[in-house]
Amino acid sequence: MKSTRKHRRALLIFLAVVLVFAGNVPVQVHAETTLEKLQKAKEEQKKTQEAKGNTEEKKESLQITQNSLLGKLGALNDDLEAVSNNLADIERQIDVKEQEIAQTKEALAEAIETEENQYEAMKLRIQFMYERGNQTYLDLLLSASGFGDLLNKGDYIEALSRYDRKMLTQFQETRKHVEEVEAQLNVELEGLNELQVQASEEQKKVAALVQQTANSVASYADQIEDTEATIDALDNMLSAQEQDIAALQKQYEEELALSRLAAQSAWRDISEVTFAEGDRYLLANLIYCEAGAEPYAGKVAVGAVVINRILSSRYPDTMVGVIYQNKQFSPVGNGRLAYALANNKATASCYQAADEAMSGITNVGHCLYFRTPIEGLTGLSIGGHIFY
């Protein structure tokens, strides 16, 4: 899991960097000066700052959503606790109800047994009274020794009969009541069972919502962690870009100073220059790489910048030395010049421009640099280049 998250975070950071610098890969068709590098570095820094700001806004949005989910999760946990307590209460009521039903069944069994016993005892008394020695109630009454004895025997017989009827009726009513109580308890138990099913379903539903919300909170926590890693990476990038800008700014100021010194330095005359074999071929192909799509005046101007450097005491005094001086002409660094030389890509107009420049003709004065126009750069505009 941690490996997956690290892989996702690394991919996110990579994509953020790609987005910051998308479209920033230049197609160089001219010498990339320090000023141009400085401008590009500042543009890249600006894009990095924008990417960091966007990422911080995303983090804030994620945190707001996460906090909202945490509040929802707390409420859902409270709901789950309430539903669980309700379910436990219903289950306790069911236990109590089942115990009451069991007790009622025992009471009913006792009532039935008592009723049956009373009925059997009444039958035995009646049988005893009616069948004892073939003696009837009438014989019992006639055997009375006197009127008082007769009344007593009559009252006895009547009381006994009333007692039997009373007890039998009482036991029957008790049995009926117990049966009614049992039926009512069963109805109540059935209702409790239905409530138990409903509460159980509600508990499952709320528990699922709790789990779903908890997963969402965890997901947002991962996303926040990823954005924080991206912000850290962008901070490191900004720090490195700040150092690059400072270095380029320093280099640019040094080059400006060098350019001013070059303008004030000694200049040789074109007649003092001896060109080596292959210099024309080299210059024509460089002109092709730097100004192949430019008008003819632009081709001459590029050739003139190269010759101006040869004439200045601040630069190498040979064609090869000037063109291959470190980090001066981008076609040298990116391989385009080598390809052009290998295939003699220079056109007739490129050779003609090289011949004019090598003869001392210049349409840019003592300019030593050229590039595509950028804001704040002033100079001589020829075709798509500024010469300065």
Side-chain angles (χ1 to χ4, degrees), residues 121-145:
M122 183 180 68
K123 287 196 301 181
L124 287 174
R125 282 193 295 274
I126 293 173
Q127 182 179 4
F128 174 78
M129 294 298 299
Y130 281 91
E131 297 180 359
R132 179 186 175 193
N134 295 321
Q135 186 179 23
T136 65
Y137 278 122
L138 181 59
D139 293 335
L140 180 62
L141 293 173
L142 292 176
S143 65
S145 58

Side-chain angles (χ1 to χ4, degrees), residues 25-301:
V25 179
V27 179
Q28 295 183 354
V29 294
H30 59 85
E32 188 176 37
T33 65
T34 301
L35 178 60
E36 180 181 17
K37 294 177 183 177
L38 181 60
Q39 291 289 342
K40 288 182 179 179
K42 289 181 178 180
E43 291 172 3
E44 291 171 357
Q45 183 188 48
K46 181 179 179 182
K47 289 185 178 181
T48 304
Q49 290 171 336
E50 290 175 352
K52 179 185 175 183
N54 292 336
T55 306
E56 288 175 338
E57 289 180 3
K58 179 182 178 182
K59 176 186 174 183
E60 183 179 355
S61 176
L62 288 171
Q63 287 175 328
I64 291 173
T65 304
Q66 185 191 43
N67 290 336
S68 175
L69 287 171
L70 286 171
K72 179 181 178 181
L73 181 61
L76 285 171
N77 279 321
D78 291 341
D79 292 344
L80 181 60
E81 182 179 3
V83 171
S84 299
N85 291 339
N86 182 48
L87 178 60
D89 184 61
I90 292 173
E91 290 172 347
R92 284 193 296 271
Q93 293 182 52
I94 289 174
D95 289 340
V96 172
K97 198 64 63 179
E98 288 176 343
Q99 291 176 7
E100 291 178 354
I101 290 174
Q103 292 172 356
T104 303
K105 287 183 179 296
E106 292 178 1
L108 179 60
E110 291 177 0
I112 292 173
E113 183 180 0
T114 301
E115 179 187 351
E116 291 175 350
N117 291 338
Q118 179 64 24
Y119 181 66
E120 291 299 325
M122 183 180 68
K123 287 196 301 181
L124 287 174
R125 282 193 295 274
I126 293 173
Q127 182 179 4
F128 174 78
M129 294 298 299
Y130 281 91
E131 297 180 359
R132 179 186 175 193
N134 295 321
Q135 186 179 23
T136 65
Y137 278 122
L138 181 59
D139 293 335
L140 180 62
L141 293 173
L142 292 176
S143 65
S145 58
F147 183 73
D149 187 30
L150 176 64
L151 291 177
N152 287 335
K153 289 183 178 180
D155 290 339
Y156 168 74
I157 293 172
E158 183 179 358
L160 185 60
S161 178
R162 282 198 309 272
Y163 172 77
D164 286 334
R165 285 196 302 272
K166 176 183 176 183
M167 293 305 296
L168 183 59
T169 300
Q170 180 178 341
F171 291 138
Q172 288 175 341
E173 290 176 350
T174 300
R175 175 178 177 178
K176 181 179 179 181
H177 173 70
V178 173
E179 288 175 342
E180 291 174 350
V181 170
E182 181 185 19
Q184 179 61 34
L185 288 174
N186 282 322
V187 170
E188 293 174 358
L189 179 62
E190 183 178 352
L192 287 172
N193 285 330
E194 291 178 357
L195 289 176
Q196 182 187 32
V197 171
Q198 294 174 4
S200 179
E201 291 298 322
E202 183 67 17
Q203 184 188 46
K204 292 178 182 177
K205 184 187 300 183
V206 176
L209 288 174
V210 168
Q211 185 60 50
Q212 179 182 352
T213 306
N215 291 339
S216 296
V217 170
S219 175
Y220 274 94
D222 289 343
Q223 293 180 60
I224 290 171
E225 186 177 352
D226 290 341
T227 57
E228 289 174 344
T230 302
I231 290 171
D232 289 341
L234 291 172
D235 277 335
N236 293 334
M237 191 179 299
L238 284 170
S239 177
Q241 288 172 339
E242 188 67 32
Q243 294 177 7
D244 290 342
I245 289 172
L248 287 170
Q249 184 70 39
K250 180 180 179 181
Q251 182 180 350
Y252 176 60
E253 291 172 357
E254 290 174 351
E255 287 182 357
L256 286 178
L258 180 62
S259 178
R260 287 191 291 269
L261 287 174
Q264 300 169 5
S265 65
W267 284 75
R268 293 189 295 168
D269 186 77
I270 191 66
S271 61
E272 301 176 45
V273 178
T274 301
F275 292 105
E277 183 179 357
D279 282 355
R280 178 175 181 266
Y281 184 78
L282 177 59
L283 180 58
N285 277 279
L286 177 68
I287 291 172
Y288 168 78
C289 293
E290 293 283 13
E294 293 293 314
Y296 181 71
K299 293 180 175 64
V300 174

